[in-house]
């Protein structure tokens, strides 16, 4: 990237902000199920974007790039949650392991989101990246700083946990 292109990115980010804000917030809100967390992560995303622009590290300033920054902030958020959950478990239990069709469809989606929100952060992150974001297993592994083999095993456990919780809340009358 040449010097003048990098210098122009500050005003470009500012011009892009109004169009990008609803898309970045919408991406995050659909995945965290808590408006205040989505707002915080949206703020973190734009702060990181400003930092990257100042450091001239932005290869292509687009909404897609901002959503990628948001995805990274979301993964960081899930990692923090997982660390906090592990710490709480260990603090409380030293023996703990660190381990109509349209209406029906709408209920199923709402139930699935509620179940996803109940899962541990590591399971939620793996399932969201793989199935909501459509990333490949190697891409998920990269985001979670795991090997592909460990990520495949995590996805198996996460799917099993999701199915068990999902089925608990269903009534078949």
């Amino acid at each position: 990237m040449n010097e003048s292109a990098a210098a122009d990115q500050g005003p470009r980010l500012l011009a892009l902000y109004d169009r990008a804000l609803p898309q970045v917030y919408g991406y995050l809100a659909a995945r965290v199920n808590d408006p205040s967390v989505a707002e915080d992560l949206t703020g973190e995303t734009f702060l990181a974007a400003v930092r990257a622009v100042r450091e001239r590290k932005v290869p292509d300033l687009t909404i897609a790039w901002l959503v990628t920054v948001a995805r990274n902030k979301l993964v960081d958020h899930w990692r923090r949650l997982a660390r906090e959950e592990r710490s709480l478990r260990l603090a409380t239990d030293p023996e703990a392991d660190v381990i109509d069709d349209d209406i029906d469809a709408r209920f199923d989606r709402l139930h699935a989101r509620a179940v996803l929100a109940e899962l541990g952060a590591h399971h939620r992150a793996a399932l969201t990246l793989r199935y909501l974001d459509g990333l490949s297993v190697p891409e998920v592994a990269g985001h979670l700083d795991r090997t592909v083999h460990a990520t495949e095993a995590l996805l198996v456990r996460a799917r099993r946990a999701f199915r068990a919780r999902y089925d608990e809340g269903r009534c078949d009358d």
Side-chain angles (χ1 to χ4, degrees):
M1 163 181 358
N2 67 33
E3 192 72 24
S4 65
D8 293 340
Q9 286 187 329
R12 284 184 57 215
L13 178 60
L14 191 57
L16 189 61
Y17 178 81
D18 287 333
R19 284 190 336 226
L21 180 65
Q23 292 185 40
V24 169
Y25 175 79
Y27 170 84
L28 293 164
R31 286 155 178 79
V32 295
N33 237 5
D34 181 343
S36 63
V37 172
E39 289 170 7
D40 290 346
L41 292 173
T42 300
E44 289 179 28
T45 298
F46 282 99
L47 285 173
V50 167
R51 218 173 296 118
V53 164
R54 281 186 181 157
E55 295 170 3
R56 301 172 190 235
K57 293 182 178 179
V58 182
D60 189 20
L61 185 57
T62 62
I63 292 174
W65 178 79
L66 287 167
V67 170
T68 299
V69 173
R71 178 184 296 140
N72 292 334
K73 292 299 172 186
L74 184 60
V75 169
D76 292 344
H77 169 73
W78 285 330
R79 284 184 184 140
R80 278 191 306 271
L81 285 179
R83 280 192 305 270
E84 289 170 8
E85 288 173 3
R86 264 193 312 275
S87 295
L88 287 173
R89 265 197 309 259
L90 290 173
T92 58
D93 181 7
E95 304 282 323
D97 284 335
V98 179
I99 311 209
D100 166 298
D101 293 346
D102 190 42
I103 291 173
D104 288 341
R106 186 178 177 136
F107 271 146
D108 285 345
R109 281 193 307 274
L110 290 173
H111 181 58
R113 287 183 77 178
V115 168
L116 192 59
E118 292 173 6
L119 296 177
H122 58 295
H123 285 169
R124 186 171 50 246
L127 292 173
T128 300
L129 291 170
R130 178 71 177 106
Y131 298 107
L132 294 180
D133 291 351
L135 300 182
S136 68
V137 174
E139 289 171 320
V140 173
H143 278 290
L144 299 179
D145 290 330
R146 292 174 168 260
T147 65
V148 171
H149 181 70
T151 302
E152 288 169 341
L154 174 63
L155 283 165
V156 167
R157 291 190 310 274
R159 283 191 301 264
R160 187 178 306 128
F162 180 89
R163 269 191 225 108
R165 288 213 175 156
Y166 187 86
D167 290 341
E168 283 173 8
R170 297 190 71 148
C171 58
D172 299 321
D173 339 279

